[in-house]
Amino acid sequence: RELAYEIEHNKISGYRARENASIAFSMTRQPNSPYISYFTPEKREMYENHKMLERDLQSALKNEEFFILLQPKVNLENYSLIGAEALSRWKRNGEIIPPLSFIPYFEQNGMIVDIDFYVLEAVCKLIRKWLDQGLDPVPVSVNFSKVSLESFDFLNNFINMTRKYNVPTKY
C-alpha cells in the first residue's frame, strides 16, 4: 500500500504535513481501501471523528448513553410475538448517532466487544425485570460482532452475564 500527500509550499507546518500524510496512510489499513491513498480534508474529518468516538466510548458506556430498542419477531401464521432482537443505539447530547457511524469503526479497532456486552447486560437486566414482574418473557436475540465471538473469553463472559442476572439462557 502507498500513500500520497501533496505538500503545498509554505501553506502548512511540517508537523501538519506529516500528520496529514499519517492520516492518508491510516486509510490504507481500511478494508477494501485503494492501493494508493490520497489525503483529503474529508479524510481528516473522518479521522478526527473516529478519534472522538474512541475517546468518548468509555464515558458513553459509563453514562448509559447506549440503549437498546427491541425489534419484534412475529409468527407469520398467527401473528403472535415469538421473540425480539436487541438493537443498540447511541444517544449523545440529545442526538441519536446512527449505528453505521460508529459500529464499523468499533469493529475495526476491537472496541465493539464493550458495546456487545453492554447490550447483553441491558437485555439480561430487562429479562430479569420481566421475570421479577411475573411476566413470561420471549427470547431476545443479541447480535455479537465477529470480533466478540473470536475473543478468548467470550463464552465465559456470556455465561457470567446470564448468571449475574439469573437469566435462563432459553431467553
Side-chain angles (χ1 to χ4, degrees), residues 45-110:
E45 184 179 330
M46 181 189 311
Y47 173 81
E48 289 174 355
N49 184 50
H50 287 172
K51 287 299 172 192
M52 180 270 309
L53 290 173
E54 192 173 304
R55 182 189 67 236
D56 292 350
L57 176 63
Q58 292 307 318
S59 65
L61 290 168
K62 181 181 173 186
N63 297 330
E64 298 181 354
E65 293 177 14
F66 287 91
F67 65 97
I68 60 169
L69 297 174
L70 296 179
Q71 180 172 308
K73 294 181 180 181
V74 177
N75 179 329
L76 295 178
E77 290 179 10
N78 60 16
Y79 300 104
S80 62
L81 182 65
I82 58 171
E85 177 183 1
L87 306 174
S88 61
R89 297 295 182 262
W90 186 357
K91 187 172 186 178
R92 189 161 181 266
N93 300 325
E95 184 177 327
I96 296 182
I97 300 173
L100 286 177
S101 297
F102 65 89
I103 289 178
Y105 177 67
F106 288 141
E107 284 178 333
Q108 183 184 17
N109 70 11

Side-chain angles (χ1 to χ4, degrees), residues 121 124-125 128 158-167:
E121 184 165 21
C124 286
K125 285 179 184 179
R128 178 77 259 151
F158 182 89
I159 291 169
N160 289 338
M161 187 66 69
T162 59
R163 286 181 179 164
K164 177 180 177 179
Y165 293 95
N166 194 24
V167 172

Side-chain angles (χ1 to χ4, degrees), residues 12-41:
I12 62 170
S13 70
Y15 173 81
R16 186 67 163 203
R18 192 175 122 247
E19 186 178 60
N20 290 348
S22 179
I23 289 170
F25 178 69
S26 72
M27 297 302 165
T28 65
R29 296 179 180 169
Q30 306 284 331
N32 303 319
S33 66
Y35 188 72
I36 297 176
S37 178
Y38 291 91
F39 173 82
T40 63

